[in-house]
Amino acid sequence: QVQLLESGGDSVQAGGSLKLSCTASGLYVSASCLAWFRQAPGKEREGVASMDSFGTTYADSAKAGFIISRNNDKNTLYLRIDSPEPEDTAIYYCASNRLGVCADLAVSTYNTWGQGTQVTVSS
């Protein structure tokens, strides 16, 4: 059974930096499609970035300060957010799909989700 556990969410000031983690069990991050999504209050969940064995993809709306990476030894996916802005305030989720390849960043493509971690950015 695949399980994803996010951590690292925090309250930060605009212009700071934080790094989110997603520790996986039941799959190998090096051979899977994993992605970061976020959901702001009153808005739909949206994709931010994905990573599989072929590379990385960022949503058009993702800023240059979003960097997705992974540590295969720790079986963990990361999302670094540099210079966050108040509009980046959201619950950030890690997700995986059964395909093993990241075809897109559509919510419906991903079948396993973590519980989310809250990021709050103040001005």
Side-chain angles (χ1 to χ4, degrees):
Q1 181 180 359
V2 176
Q3 291 186 323
L4 304 172
L5 181 63
E6 303 96 334
S7 62
D10 203 354
S11 295
V12 297
Q13 287 193 323
S17 179
L18 71 165
K19 190 173 185 179
L20 309 180
S21 301
C22 171
T23 301
S25 60
L27 59 77
Y28 293 109
V29 297
S30 60
S32 302
C33 167
L34 288 165
W36 286 101
F37 290 79
R38 67 181 182 181
Q39 187 164 17
K43 295 187 177 180
E44 293 186 350
R45 192 170 298 188
E46 63 174 358
V48 175
S50 65
M51 171 175 274
D52 59 20
S53 58
F54 296 95
T56 60
T57 300
Y58 292 90
D60 292 341
S61 59
K63 304 180 307 181
F66 287 88
I67 302 173
I68 190 171
S69 64
R70 68 180 180 227
N71 183 316
N72 295 337
D73 292 337
K74 294 183 178 180
N75 213 36
T76 300
L77 181 77
Y78 301 101
L79 181 69
R80 177 174 165 176
I81 307 175
D82 289 332
S83 300
E85 299 173 353
E87 51 265 38
D88 294 318
T89 294
I91 300 174
Y92 284 73
Y93 297 91
C94 176
S96 69
N97 68 23
R98 296 190 183 95
L99 302 174
V101 177
C102 297
D104 54 41
L105 278 168
V107 172
S108 59
T109 304
Y110 295 79
N111 61 290
T112 300
W113 296 82
Q115 85 291 345
T117 187
Q118 177 71 49
V119 172
T120 303
V121 184
S122 58
S123 58

